[in-house]
Amino acid sequence: MSFPSEFTWGAAAAAYQIEGAWNVDGRGPSVWDTFSQTAGKVFENHNGNVACDHYHRWREDIGLMKQLGIKAYRLSLSWSRILPQGTGEVNEAGLKFYDDLINGLLEAGIQPWVTLFHWDLPQALQDQGGFTNPAIADWFGDYATIVAKRLGDRVNHWMTINEPPVILGLGYQDGVFAPGLKLSYAECLAAAHNLLRAHGKGVQALRANCVGPQQISIAHTSREPIPASDSPADIEAARARYFGCVAENMWNLAWWADPIVLGRYPEDGLERFKEHLPTITDADMKLISEPIDYLAYNCYSGYKVKAGADGVAEVITDGHGIGNPRGTLPWLSIAPEAIYWAARWQTERYKLPLVFSENGFCNTDFVHRDGKVHDSQRIEFMHHYLTAIGKAIDDGADVQGYFYWSIMDNFEWAEGYKDRFGIVHVDYQTQVRTPKDSFYWYRDLIARGGQLD
Ligand code: GBH
């Protein structure tokens, strides 16, 4: 097993989780400022006001990335830093921050992979309905145009939106993430359709305004079924469930990915959700299916299923077994088969190259007496998942990149600063950065071209 020499080794983070400087230099508030500043929404009422203070410390952070030897860094832009009201007047200081950051990355020999929107919608747009307002497509298109005109001469790799199921499933249906809504399923499907149209407008804006060759995608995620055994029946049951519209929630992967890549909503979903569907026009589908260049997927864990008597997947409760190795978040059981099958099935169905835009492990890492952070469990996690990706490549999956989540510990949304995903430890009292053991392990792995020890 070996990784191709042109494989993109990377690490990722997102604006609201690391930047801080929430009201500095003209930045407008986003839904995550509102949500996290409301008592009772986030673990111990933490918020992203300061976070890792990356806004002021980005030079030091790029220095760490350079030391790590990553070829690419996945970052997101704060929409309300660039357009404080979401539309209209541009905040030059906000654009300049990203301009400088991107120049800094390029000088360090690191490709910037830019996500336009990673959950921090300008509050001014939420006040007009956010994704429930069909105008979101034009708002997003206009924002993408401004970004492309300013950065598109140097940025070649883009993702429009990060994880639609989290934005709408946790934010609009379950109400546990910003903006904390609990809408009906019909309203959620209408918002989902608007989100897909916004993605399409974003792709068009990037194509029209960037200079040079662009690689454009959208970062998806889901809940990954894992076949309980190697039997063809279990494998097919899990694959069918992965792409099936199985419940009235926002986690049906094919509901998002089929319209974009295949140009149509999946039949089983149209049937199952028929009482809740918004109006869907041919013009919408044409916009949504603007060609993309690669698949981006965030993958962490999964759940085991087996084929029932009728061949349909049955979920195995506690499929990983009591005591299976795990991270500190409830959903983070170590299950590298999830990434193996995601790679195989996605590239088979959508016939595009795939990049894992996120994968990572959270723990309660701290600095030891010797001044180091010994995170052997994270190294073990990475070893397992990268082995699984290597095996998927050997078995024919076209995987072209891997971004570890995250380059540094950061604001883990509703969990606050409790769970640490970084390969660099951040002391939130002093802002001192300490590379963890996993940082050096990943550095050496990249230097060896991905050869696992
Ligand atoms: C990502 O979301 C975010 O993009 C990032 O901002 C965040 O910090 C990071 O992950 C860590 O949470 O039911 O076992 O099949 C991850 C969202 C969480 C979605 C787990 C799928 C279900 C896994 N994912 N979830 S499972």
Side-chain angles (χ1 to χ4, degrees):
M1 184 212 70
S2 62
F3 286 89
S5 57
E6 62 285 4
F7 194 80
T8 299
W9 295 101
Y16 188 71
Q17 296 181 269
I18 63 168
E19 284 179 4
W22 77 286
N23 59 359
V24 171
D25 291 342
R27 181 183 178 278
S30 80
V31 294
W32 269 96
D33 295 296
T34 309
F35 191 77
S36 65
Q37 292 173 24
T38 305
K41 300 292 185 191
V42 175
F43 175 78
E44 291 184 352
N45 295 324
H46 296 171
N47 60 50
N49 291 6
V50 178
C52 308
D53 196 29
H54 176 71
Y55 187 77
H56 297 112
R57 295 168 196 264
W58 59 270
R59 288 182 184 81
E60 178 187 354
D61 294 335
I62 289 178
L64 287 164
M65 294 176 205
K66 193 173 178 186
Q67 201 190 326
L68 180 59
I70 45 176
K71 192 158 143 189
Y73 169 54
R74 176 177 178 232
L75 67 145
S76 82
L77 312 183
S78 159
W79 186 339
S80 64
R81 207 181 273 298
I82 295 171
L83 289 157
Q85 296 301 311
T87 57
E89 207 173 323
V90 175
N91 177 33
E92 170 55 27
L95 263 183
K96 184 172 184 309
F97 168 66
Y98 294 114
D99 207 50
D100 291 347
L101 179 62
I102 277 153
N103 288 340
L105 288 164
L106 292 170
E107 275 161 31
I110 300 167
Q111 293 172 355
W113 288 48
V114 173
T115 305
L116 291 173
F117 175 64
H118 195 126
W119 307 355
D120 44 358
L121 193 75
Q123 183 60 44
L125 299 184
Q126 193 62 50
D127 294 343
Q128 298 168 66
F131 285 95
T132 68
N133 189 332
I136 188 81
D138 288 326
W139 299 335
F140 187 68
D142 292 347
Y143 161 58
T145 299
I146 290 161
V147 169
K149 282 188 172 154
R150 182 64 173 259
L151 307 177
D153 58 336
R154 284 153 292 154
V155 177
N156 304 124
H157 297 85
W158 301 91
M159 292 169 219
T160 53
I161 296 173
N162 184 68
E163 298 186 350
V166 174
I167 299 167
L168 297 187
L170 302 187
Y172 283 60
Q173 189 175 26
D174 301 343
V176 295
F177 273 20
L181 306 176
K182 289 188 177 170
L183 302 183
S184 70
Y185 198 51
E187 289 169 307
C188 287
L189 286 183
H193 192 62
N194 292 335
L195 185 151
L196 286 169
R197 289 174 48 253
H199 158 79
K201 287 277 183 183
V203 176
Q204 289 180 342
L206 293 171
R207 291 265 188 249
N209 295 290
C210 291
V211 181
Q214 310 102 42
Q215 292 283 311
I216 303 175
S217 191
I218 172 170
H220 286 303
T221 194
S222 186
R223 293 175 173 154
E224 291 78 26
I226 301 169
S229 80
D230 284 342
S231 82
D234 283 352
I235 293 171
E236 177 49 26
R239 194 200 63 79
R241 186 179 168 96
Y242 191 39
F243 295 114
C245 290
V246 293
E248 286 185 9
N249 61 30
M250 293 282 112
W251 294 93
N252 304 296
L253 172 63
W255 193 258
W256 302 107
D258 280 18
I260 292 173
V261 186
L262 307 179
R264 51 179 158 71
Y265 280 105
E267 286 300 328
D268 65 333
L270 289 171
E271 177 55 29
R272 185 184 279 260
F273 309 146
K274 60 175 182 272
E275 274 144 43
H276 312 287
L277 294 176
T279 307
I280 299 166
T281 67
D282 289 347
D284 291 344
M285 296 316 293
K286 193 161 181 295
L287 172 63
I288 290 168
S289 59
E290 277 292 333
I292 58 170
D293 304 291
Y294 67 102
L295 306 168
Y297 196 73
N298 300 345
C299 186
Y300 289 83
S301 189
Y303 61 98
K304 290 206 172 155
V305 302
K306 65 172 196 273
D310 52 2
V312 175
E314 276 175 15
V315 178
I316 305 173
T317 312
D318 189 28
H320 302 297
I322 295 172
N324 186 64
R326 54 178 310 116
T328 45
L329 282 170
W331 47 265
L332 223 177
S333 222
I334 300 193
E337 309 94 311
I339 214 165
Y340 171 83
W341 289 110
R344 288 280 309 269
W345 292 334
Q346 292 222 26
T347 52
E348 277 164 25
R349 184 180 182 92
Y350 297 119
K351 301 184 173 38
L352 284 170
L354 171 71
V355 162
F356 283 109
S357 35
E358 286 180 30
N359 168 250
F361 180 76
C362 61
N363 216 336
T364 53
D365 315 296
F366 46 82
V367 181
H368 291 210
R369 278 168 299 155
D370 60 3
K372 298 178 179 168
V373 182
H374 302 298
D375 60 337
S376 58
Q377 295 180 336
R378 180 168 292 101
I379 294 172
E380 203 61 13
F381 175 97
M382 293 174 81
H383 199 293
H384 283 304
Y385 279 70
L386 287 166
T387 301
I389 293 173
K391 184 164 177 285
I393 294 173
D394 285 348
D395 293 348
D398 185 7
V399 185
Q400 300 194 349
Y402 174 85
F403 289 77
Y404 180 77
W405 181 274
S406 173
I407 182 68
M408 67 184 107
D409 294 337
N410 60 52
F411 178 75
E412 178 51 29
W413 307 111
E415 313 298 334
Y417 297 97
K418 174 167 59 69
D419 304 281
R420 294 173 178 270
F421 276 93
I423 48 176
V424 173
H425 178 275
V426 176
D427 180 326
Y428 297 112
Q429 306 306 320
T430 62
Q431 294 295 348
V432 167
R433 275 88 163 122
T434 307
K436 303 180 189 178
D437 289 354
S438 57
F439 175 99
Y440 299 107
W441 180 85
Y442 192 37
R443 178 195 66 183
D444 293 347
L445 179 81
I446 295 169
R448 288 197 304 272
Q451 208 190 322
L452 287 156
D453 46 22

